[in-house]
Amino acid sequence: MKKVVLHKGREKSLLRKHPWIFSGAINSTDDNIELGETVHIFSANNNFLCVGAYSPHSQIRVRVWDFNQIDINKNFFEERIKSALNFRKSVIDDKKYNAYRLINSESDSLPGLIVDKYNDVLVCQFISAGAERWKQTIIEILVEQLEPTAIYERSDADVRQKEGLKPVKGMLFGKIDSGEVIIQEDNLSYIVNIFTGHKTGFYLDQRENRKIISEYSKGKTVLNCFSYTGGFGIAAAANQAEHITNIDSSDEILTIAERNFQLNKIPENKFTNLKADVFSELRKLKSEDRKFDLIILDPPKFVEGKSSLNKASRGYKDIIMLAMQLLNENGLLFTFSCSGLMTPELFNKIIADAAIDAGINFSIIDRLWQSTDHRVTTCFPESLYLKGLLVKRD
Ligand code: SAH
């Protein structure tokens, strides 16, 4: 087994079971380690620390498979996948939901592997050198344990490039006629295009928040900004929202939103799908003196790296302040950030600053997170990227 030796004192995070080794922590390695090859990691004192996958092009040079000296083979992946599925059984009621995340990378001790279930189709992302190396084995196990009709790969995320891997998309197993799958969630149906949709097709991470928003929506006028294919809007309509306005900048996406409203038999006079830029549309609505009872802001990832954090913060503050000014008295604002680099503290501060600039007082009603199937372990808090706040206008 090839060997990697760390600099003195650089084993600290591993002793706390954090699964990443950065290039700067490494003192020496054996020669010619291949992309994703299994390596054994030792401290400067020659103590065994962990077994991991080597990624020669990435800043994260090793991702840990295990902290014990075990063999990494098919049996290892079988056990890991079984345990990931058991966790989902404990947090998901599969009578109500047939679409959720089955494997969440580091938090399921399978770094770089994402598997989402959309009814009987699986969508996978292999975003680390180690996961890529074991792809065929992983597919075999998914077929054996889950018997899906098809497995589709959406390894077209940018992060793959950091691992020296090219973006890829395509069928890995089975056959489907089109990229469209219909999923069920709390008696609602959503059309998901797994070939072209965002992420692996749908914002499964917002599932629990769809339910929460739906519970607040009865009789309310709702403005659903960055609506994507209508998720929050349909959940709100299902609980008798008075009217929903969805805003998104993409025609193609709004066409699916329209079909999703029809699929759930929501009367046409209950919703409007508006193609617009949220930044300018909120200003326009303000100039028209429009008001809403409940506003949702769920923008795309504004923060791409540390250098864009300030600019992104200004973007968040801008739309949050405008949305606050569009609320009726006692109105509710659900505001989200899916940027991992945006800390909950900074997000709270942005919301507080926006309220001051809007000249309105708000109370915090609830804090929101990603759905529990998007597992976060205590040793790997980086898994937690989605955060939201529900505030109420005084
Ligand atoms: N809330 C959605 C997910 C939002 S994803 C859900 O839960 O399903 C972000 C969406 O914002 C995408 O659909 C994208 O097309 C849209 N978008 C990005 N920039 C935009 C802008 N400036 N104005 C309007 N929509 C935008």
Side-chain angles (χ1 to χ4, degrees):
M1 190 63 60
K2 299 261 171 72
K3 207 171 150 178
V4 170
V5 181
L6 302 189
H7 287 300
K8 193 162 176 283
R10 296 302 294 267
E11 66 276 24
K12 283 201 187 99
S13 61
L14 294 171
L15 298 175
R16 292 186 51 79
K17 303 281 186 267
H18 190 276
W20 288 352
I21 301 172
F22 286 94
S23 58
I26 295 175
N27 183 20
S28 64
T29 68
D30 283 346
D31 292 336
N32 305 322
I33 309 179
E34 290 172 17
L35 200 71
E37 191 174 341
T38 303
V39 289
H40 281 179
I41 295 88
F42 291 86
S43 69
N45 303 337
N46 211 28
N47 288 326
F48 172 86
L49 293 168
C50 58
V51 50
Y54 194 76
S55 187
H57 308 293
S58 174
Q59 292 270 56
I60 305 171
R61 195 55 50 91
V62 178
R63 290 174 197 251
V64 176
W65 290 127
D66 204 276
F67 293 96
N68 296 302
Q69 201 158 350
I70 57 167
D71 290 336
I72 303 304
N73 51 24
K74 184 170 178 187
N75 183 255
F76 163 82
F77 287 100
E78 278 172 346
E79 291 307 312
R80 279 289 144 89
I81 291 174
K82 214 183 276 170
S83 124
L85 302 186
N86 279 338
F87 176 76
R88 286 5 182 239
K89 277 190 194 133
S90 71
V91 296
I92 298 278
D93 177 355
D94 60 11
K95 289 190 199 70
K96 285 190 184 161
Y97 308 102
N98 67 7
Y100 45 90
R101 179 150 294 184
L102 292 172
I103 298 174
N104 195 31
S105 203
E106 275 82 355
S107 279
D108 280 298
S109 302
L110 288 166
L113 177 66
I114 305 253
V115 181
D116 287 342
K117 170 180 161 70
Y118 290 99
N119 198 354
D120 50 6
V121 173
L122 303 180
V123 184
C124 302
Q125 292 184 320
F126 297 85
I127 46 183
S128 70
E132 177 73 17
R133 193 176 175 97
W134 288 94
K135 192 188 273 181
Q136 286 315 319
T137 307
I138 290 166
I139 296 161
E140 258 175 57
I141 300 168
L142 291 173
V143 171
E144 286 161 14
Q145 295 194 8
L146 289 148
E147 300 176 357
T149 53
I151 304 181
Y152 190 71
E153 176 171 19
R154 282 294 301 270
S155 301
D156 50 344
D158 294 343
V159 283
R160 235 175 99 92
Q161 283 162 24
K162 294 186 183 157
E163 296 277 317
L165 303 167
K166 290 200 177 70
V168 277
K169 269 168 101 161
M171 288 311 289
L172 292 173
F173 169 80
K175 216 173 75 189
I176 39 176
D177 298 332
S178 81
E180 285 193 2
V181 183
I182 294 182
I183 61 161
Q184 299 296 326
E185 187 179 294
D186 283 319
N187 296 322
L188 296 171
S189 307
Y190 296 97
I191 299 162
V192 176
N193 193 316
I194 61 166
F195 292 175
T196 59
H198 289 186
K199 291 160 68 105
T200 59
F202 197 56
Y203 287 85
L204 295 174
D205 53 358
Q206 290 284 23
R207 186 183 53 258
E208 288 163 12
N209 297 327
R210 277 189 281 281
K211 193 164 167 62
I212 292 171
I213 288 180
S214 144
E215 282 160 7
Y216 280 102
S217 295
K218 198 168 182 176
K220 303 259 165 73
T221 50
V222 175
L223 179 63
N224 181 20
C225 301
F226 308 97
S227 69
Y228 191 54
T229 53
F232 288 130
I234 286 157
N239 195 23
Q240 300 165 38
E242 175 61 29
H243 186 269
I244 294 125
T245 307
N246 295 305
I247 306 179
D248 202 280
S249 55
S250 158
D251 265 333
E252 202 185 326
I253 280 170
L254 285 176
T255 306
I256 301 184
E258 190 82 21
R259 289 173 59 208
N260 275 332
F261 275 84
Q262 285 159 5
L263 183 67
N264 290 286
K265 304 198 165 42
I266 295 157
E268 270 182 26
N269 62 355
K270 287 284 173 192
F271 67 93
T272 308
N273 286 325
L274 194 64
K275 178 186 184 296
D277 169 55
V278 166
F279 290 82
S280 43
E281 189 60 29
L282 291 181
R283 286 189 166 75
K284 181 160 166 262
L285 291 168
K286 193 183 153 201
S287 73
E288 293 166 356
D289 212 17
R290 289 279 302 276
K291 290 278 193 281
F292 298 87
D293 301 324
L294 190 159
I295 301 181
I296 303 154
L297 292 177
D298 183 25
K301 198 166 159 186
F302 286 160
V303 194
E304 289 303 338
K306 280 193 181 130
S307 58
S308 64
L309 193 57
N310 277 341
K311 185 164 173 261
S313 301
R314 284 197 296 277
Y316 281 115
K317 190 179 145 194
D318 185 29
I319 49 170
I320 293 170
M321 186 195 75
L322 287 163
M324 286 173 160
Q325 293 171 329
L326 289 172
L327 279 174
N328 282 321
E329 247 177 59
N330 295 317
L332 298 170
L333 173 65
F334 287 87
T335 177
F336 294 98
S337 167
C338 61
S339 305
L341 289 169
M342 172 68 69
T343 61
E345 293 73 28
L346 178 57
F347 197 47
N348 287 2
K349 183 173 180 301
I350 291 170
I351 295 163
D353 289 350
I356 289 168
D357 286 4
I360 308 169
N361 286 333
F362 282 85
S363 303
I364 296 174
I365 305 294
D366 205 354
R367 290 171 193 283
L368 309 166
W369 311 101
Q370 65 213 48
S371 299
T372 37
D373 51 318
H374 287 58
R375 188 176 190 174
V376 182
T377 52
T378 50
C379 295
F380 193 69
E382 290 91 335
S383 286
L384 203 158
Y385 60 94
L386 179 66
K387 62 213 75 76
L389 213 60
L390 164 58
V391 293
K392 183 172 195 253
R393 184 182 172 151
D394 281 355

